[in-house]
Amino acid sequence: MAKLCKMLGRVDDVIARAEDVFIIFAHGAVAGLVLLSVVLRYVFNDPLTWGEELIVGFFAWMVFVAAAAAVRSQMHIRIDVIAPVFRNPKMNWLNTLTLVIGIVIIVTMVWACYEQVLQELVVESPMLGVSKAWFAASMPVGLILMLIHVLRSWLDHGAASVFRSETEILIASEGGAK
């Protein structure tokens, strides 16, 4: 089990670095393409016809990869009203239940998104002339990355740490959590 945890940790570290680089690249590409599109359309009156499709594609990939990175970095939110309940040792089973439900939801979404990608294989984008499955593939890929991060966090730190938000971590580190 320790070997599996170590291997998953290494894989997750490599994925994390690749995610960060990709998010930076995609964000820069979206910003650059939007700026180029605006300048070409309004200054030169010559719109970039394929630019919008590429922007949407980069944006879709950026959103789903960034969602996985947010889970990895615990930069998401959890409803603060019920957070004290999850910290109560008698209610520790809620953390495990939440984790299992979260994993079931992610796996179900991966399956549904995979089905969507299969349907999009035959649809071609009008301007770029590529299969729209390339854009739709961002969903299952992002969700699989999210699942890897969830599993690593669970194995490394336990069920309570997986869906804990940055705010809860900050409060606990300052001694405010009991």
Side-chain angles (χ1 to χ4, degrees):
M1 184 68 165
K3 214 173 195 179
L4 176 67
C5 290
K6 198 174 210 177
M7 184 181 73
L8 182 62
R10 283 192 210 130
V11 168
D12 190 54
D13 289 341
V14 170
I15 289 171
R17 284 190 291 277
E19 282 174 351
D20 291 342
V21 168
F22 178 78
I23 292 166
I24 291 167
F25 170 76
H27 196 194
V30 167
L33 283 168
V34 167
L35 181 64
L36 181 64
S37 295
V38 168
V39 168
L40 288 174
R41 177 178 299 271
Y42 295 108
V43 174
F44 297 106
N45 200 24
D46 187 21
L48 191 62
T49 55
W50 50 267
E52 183 180 341
E53 283 182 6
L54 195 55
I55 290 167
V56 168
F58 272 127
F59 194 74
W61 276 94
M62 185 175 61
V63 164
F64 283 99
V65 172
V71 168
R72 170 180 39 92
S73 306
Q74 296 178 318
M75 297 295 289
H76 50 84
I77 62 169
R78 182 160 79 173
I79 300 172
D80 292 337
V81 174
I82 62 170
V85 173
F86 283 89
R87 285 193 298 267
N88 183 343
K90 292 178 184 173
M91 303 300 277
N92 197 31
W93 62 272
L94 277 176
N95 291 309
T96 305
L97 179 64
T98 301
L99 175 64
V100 170
I101 291 171
I103 290 172
V104 167
I105 290 169
I106 292 171
V107 169
T108 303
M109 288 177 63
V110 167
W111 175 78
C113 292
Y114 172 74
E115 293 291 321
Q116 178 68 29
V117 170
L118 292 179
Q119 290 178 4
E120 295 289 337
L121 278 172
V122 296
V123 180
E124 193 173 278
S125 69
M127 292 299 174
L128 292 175
V130 298
S131 172
K132 285 206 167 191
W134 285 105
F135 303 134
S138 63
M139 296 181 292
V141 168
L143 289 164
I144 289 169
L145 295 173
M146 188 181 295
L147 185 61
I148 291 168
H149 298 319
V150 165
L151 291 175
R152 184 202 184 166
S153 183
W154 182 20
L155 291 173
D156 284 354
H157 307 291
S161 71
V162 176
F163 294 118
R164 187 169 41 182
S165 70
E166 184 182 33
T167 305
E168 291 176 80
I169 294 167
L170 182 63
I171 290 169
S173 70
E174 293 179 356
K178 295 183 180 173

